[in-house]
Structure formats: structure tokens, C-alpha cells
Amino acid sequence: MGAIVGIWHGPMTEPHGAARQWLTAGLEENATHLLVDVDNAERLVAAVKADKKWRTALVQNARGVAELFVCPRCLRQHYVSVIVALRERFYELDRTMNSHLRDAGTPAQRAAEAALQAFTKEREAENAYRHFQNKYKK
């Protein structure tokens, strides 16, 4: 914490690249991170060194992304929202994925069902993005 984030620019970081993740919604180039490549790295480092206000903003905004998208609670909330979205879209998914537990009728089944219910009750991940936008608007 307390560092400027540089993300190497390439095909993986394009809008539909494989490196796009849940925290992408909270990222804004030159506000939360620098998009660096071989052509601009030296110029960007010099610009950041020369501009204390920008440097401070980059550090604070990167800290905000870490607090709201990468913390353990945030990761858990993201996974909850993904699972809930999958369950809402593919309502047979639970039945298919948990059939081995249901058929067994064991304490493991009851534990898995209780964990699933507790896991899907919370749907706060979408609130993290709104909170970040409100807290760190320019």
C-alpha cells in the first residue's frame, strides 16, 4: 500500500482481454493507475516525479481500489455476486452441481446447503463500485 500502480499495456489489458477482472470497474487510467508500455514508461515516470499532486492522487486512488475491490471481504462479495448471477441465470445449476450431495443425504449435504444459503444472502459487491465512485470522484 502506498505505491503508484503501473499496469503493462498489451492485448491482455484491452477491453475484452483476459486480464480484465472484477476490479476493472473501479479503475480509471491516470487516476487509479498508469497504463505503461515500452514507448511511454520513461515519460510517465518523469511526469509522476514532477507532479506531486498527481502522484499523491494516484497513491490515494490506488489505495481506494485496494480497499474496495481487493480486500478479503471484497473478494468474497465479488464471488457471491458471481454465484448469485449464475444461479439467477442458470437456475438448474445448483441442482446439477450439488446432486452428489443431495443424493448422499449426509451431514456434508446439510453443511453444504447451509453454507450455500449463507453465501448467497449477501449481495454487496455491486455496492462497492458505487461507494468507490462516490468516494473517489474527481
Side-chain angles (χ1 to χ4, degrees), residues 18-39:
R20 302 313 260 192
Q21 300 177 21
W22 71 96
L23 59 89
T24 302
L27 299 180
E28 184 178 334
E29 186 178 350
N30 297 325
T32 58
H33 68 285
L34 300 174
L35 203 54
V36 182
D37 62 27
V38 73
D39 295 324

Side-chain angles (χ1 to χ4, degrees), residues 95-105:
R95 181 177 298 160
T96 302
M97 292 180 71
N98 296 325
S99 64
H100 66 288
L101 295 174
R102 190 174 42 260
D103 295 340

Side-chain angles (χ1 to χ4, degrees), residues 73-90:
R73 179 184 49 80
C74 304
L75 294 174
R76 179 185 173 279
Q77 289 172 342
H78 169 69
Y79 288 116
V80 167
S81 67
V82 168
I83 289 173
V84 168
L86 285 170
R87 290 179 72 210
E88 287 173 354
R89 178 149 183 184
F90 305 104

